[in-house]
Amino acid sequence: MTEPTTTPLSGLRVLDLATLFAGPLAATMLGDFGAEVIKVEHPTKPDPCRGHGPSKDGVGLWWKLLGRNKRTITLDLSKPGGRDTLLRLAATADVIIENFRPGTLEKWDLGWVELAAANPQLVLARVTAFGQFGPYAHRPGFGTLAEAMSGFAAITGEPDAPPTLPPFGLADSIAGLATAYAVMTALAARDRTGEGQVVDMAIIEPILTALGPQPLWYDQLGHVQPRTGNRSQNNAPRNTYRTADGSWVAVSTSAQSIAERVMRLVGHPELIDEPWFATGADRAKHADVLDAAVGDWIAQRTRTEVLAAFEKAEAAVAPIQDVRNVMTDPQYQALDTITTVDDPELGPLRMQNVLFRLSATPGAIRWPGRPHGADTDTVLTELGLTEAELTSLRQAGAL
């Protein structure tokens, strides 16, 4: 992909000390829009993301996505030489993103006191499962625990089935996006005050925002949202339905006008006149009737026929797609959502594009994830370290 001449985050330097998903994803989002991101990994224990999931020719594919637009260096922060080098880097940086357990950086004399002394304008984003304080702060944790604790798993799945965890890093992804937003908020504050600050991001928190008003409902009404499968308590029909050719489609009727169009389309306009049809919550109480009407109609038609009819009726429908369908979907193709990036190790790669489009200063994928430590000498030489210093650091195990 051609790099744009102007990017909104050009000149911003980010040190990505984090591993796995939430923290590194935040750094990826910043790098996608022009920030210079330097990925700092342990010399012998790289980011475990490099080994997560399928690989090709021994190269982890997830890393190609999560590590894009990052230069990679190695430093052992627990060794004096690694610590001192990190402080020198911090003095040149705008942002550091880390996800060590609370107290770990402090144990290495790299806490906020030391980092702020090196660079008072620094923004330090600390991404942990449970936050920097509280009874759980020092527990090990991952996004799965946030999906369990937040209430997500409790409302996911069929009513008579166990709570269901997502088969991907949902809480980590939400926290990664929230961290990128938090960093930009802190940088905006720095523009006014001239001073940096600490971002305390607990992965258990952003997913609660994504879950909507559950706490408010419970606080005011004592209402606990149950598992409802693909149905909703707020509207109906809302479900997945099987077509005559064995495909599946999803229908949503969050708006009253859409619900009415759907019932006319499937040949049951009489249901619109029912008193309970007037609100989404009341329609949800009659989901069996509405699902039967919609499901029977869809079951008699192919997916192509269903999608065409819904589009003509201006009713909301979408096919249930797996990744094979996503790669060829015409809307995703029009948006260039899945774009092609050249990789020196694996050749052309297709991956998700940058998260959104800006009309004047677009982001870009400049390169996919690079090999472990590929840019160590270049970055540290730019920092002013001599060849002798690099050799000494390597001999000490700091690189």
Side-chain angles (χ1 to χ4, degrees), residues 119-242:
N119 183 354
Q121 293 188 315
L122 185 69
V123 170
L124 174 62
R126 316 195 75 168
V127 185
T128 57
F130 305 109
Q132 295 295 309
F133 57 91
Y136 303 165
H138 291 278
R139 293 181 182 178
F142 301 97
T144 296
L145 306 189
E147 290 145 11
M149 286 180 57
S150 63
F152 172 85
I155 65 168
T156 303
E158 295 297 328
D160 56 352
T164 301
L165 294 167
F168 66 100
L170 176 63
D172 275 314
S173 297
I174 297 172
L177 298 176
T179 300
Y181 164 62
V183 164
M184 296 309 300
T185 302
L187 290 172
R190 189 187 70 174
D191 288 345
R192 295 196 306 272
T193 67
E195 297 180 355
Q197 60 182 299
V198 176
V199 172
D200 180 4
M201 177 63 66
I203 296 173
I204 61 172
E205 291 186 303
I207 191 171
L208 271 173
T209 296
L211 285 170
Q214 286 192 53
L216 183 60
W217 287 340
Y218 180 75
D219 175 64
Q220 295 296 303
L221 303 171
H223 175 72
V224 178
Q225 184 173 338
R227 287 192 293 283
T228 56
N230 292 321
R231 289 179 172 179
S232 168
Q233 289 188 306
N234 303 313
N235 64 80
R238 192 265 197 184
N239 213 326
T240 60
Y241 307 92
R242 191 168 187 173

Side-chain angles (χ1 to χ4, degrees), residues 15 33 45 78 92 108 148 155 174 258-259 293 352 379:
L15 304 182
F33 286 89
K45 294 177 285 188
S78 69
T92 72
W108 298 332
I155 65 168
I174 297 172
I258 300 295
Q352 297 95 317
V379 170

Side-chain angles (χ1 to χ4, degrees), residues 33-323:
F33 286 89
E36 178 197 3
V37 181
I38 299 173
K39 175 75 175 181
V40 181
E41 298 174 88
H42 191 278
T44 60
K45 294 177 285 188
D47 189 333
C49 175
R50 290 180 179 273
H52 263 61
S55 62
K56 180 181 179 182
D57 299 336
V59 179
L61 296 175
W62 203 332
W63 168 251
K64 289 298 179 183
L65 176 68
L66 195 62
R68 71 190 191 191
N69 294 334
K70 300 178 184 182
R71 294 200 287 173
T72 64
I73 71 170
T74 60
L75 279 180
D76 186 342
L77 304 183
S78 69
K79 295 187 181 298
R83 171 194 179 274
D84 293 343
T85 304
L86 192 280
L87 286 175
R88 290 177 66 172
L89 280 169
T92 72
D94 298 282
V95 178
I96 290 179
I97 301 174
E98 63 97 358
N99 71 336
F100 298 103
R101 283 200 225 178
T104 300
L105 284 184
E106 285 75 9
K107 178 178 66 176
W108 298 332
D109 294 326
L110 284 171
W112 175 242
V113 172
E114 292 81 8
L115 292 171
N119 183 354
Q121 293 188 315
L122 185 69
V123 170
L124 174 62
R126 316 195 75 168
V127 185
T128 57
F130 305 109
Q132 295 295 309
F133 57 91
Y136 303 165
H138 291 278
R139 293 181 182 178
F142 301 97
T144 296
L145 306 189
E147 290 145 11
M149 286 180 57
S150 63
F152 172 85
I155 65 168
T156 303
E158 295 297 328
D160 56 352
T164 301
L165 294 167
F168 66 100
L170 176 63
D172 275 314
S173 297
I174 297 172
L177 298 176
T179 300
Y181 164 62
V183 164
M184 296 309 300
T185 302
L187 290 172
R190 189 187 70 174
D191 288 345
R192 295 196 306 272
T193 67
E195 297 180 355
Q197 60 182 299
V198 176
V199 172
D200 180 4
M201 177 63 66
I203 296 173
I204 61 172
E205 291 186 303
I207 191 171
L208 271 173
T209 296
L211 285 170
Q214 286 192 53
L216 183 60
W217 287 340
Y218 180 75
D219 175 64
Q220 295 296 303
L221 303 171
H223 175 72
V224 178
Q225 184 173 338
R227 287 192 293 283
T228 56
N230 292 321
R231 289 179 172 179
S232 168
Q233 289 188 306
N234 303 313
N235 64 80
R238 192 265 197 184
N239 213 326
T240 60
Y241 307 92
R242 191 168 187 173
T243 64
D245 53 354
S247 297
W248 291 84
V249 298
V251 173
S252 176
T253 57
S254 295
Q256 181 69 22
S257 59
I258 300 295
E260 293 176 4
R261 290 173 194 166
V262 169
M263 300 322 297
R264 292 191 184 98
L265 172 64
V266 302
H268 287 279
E270 76 282 358
L271 294 177
I272 299 172
D273 297 326
E274 294 286 348
W276 48 261
F277 199 88
T279 69
D282 283 339
R283 292 200 310 275
K285 295 175 183 177
H286 295 79
D288 287 343
V289 173
L290 296 173
D291 275 346
V294 175
D296 289 348
W297 186 89
I298 288 177
Q300 298 174 42
R301 291 160 176 83
T302 66
R303 187 180 84 159
T304 299
E305 291 170 338
V306 170
L307 297 178
F310 267 74
E311 182 175 0
K312 183 176 180 181
E314 297 184 354
V317 70
I320 303 293
Q321 301 191 146
D322 63 19
V323 67

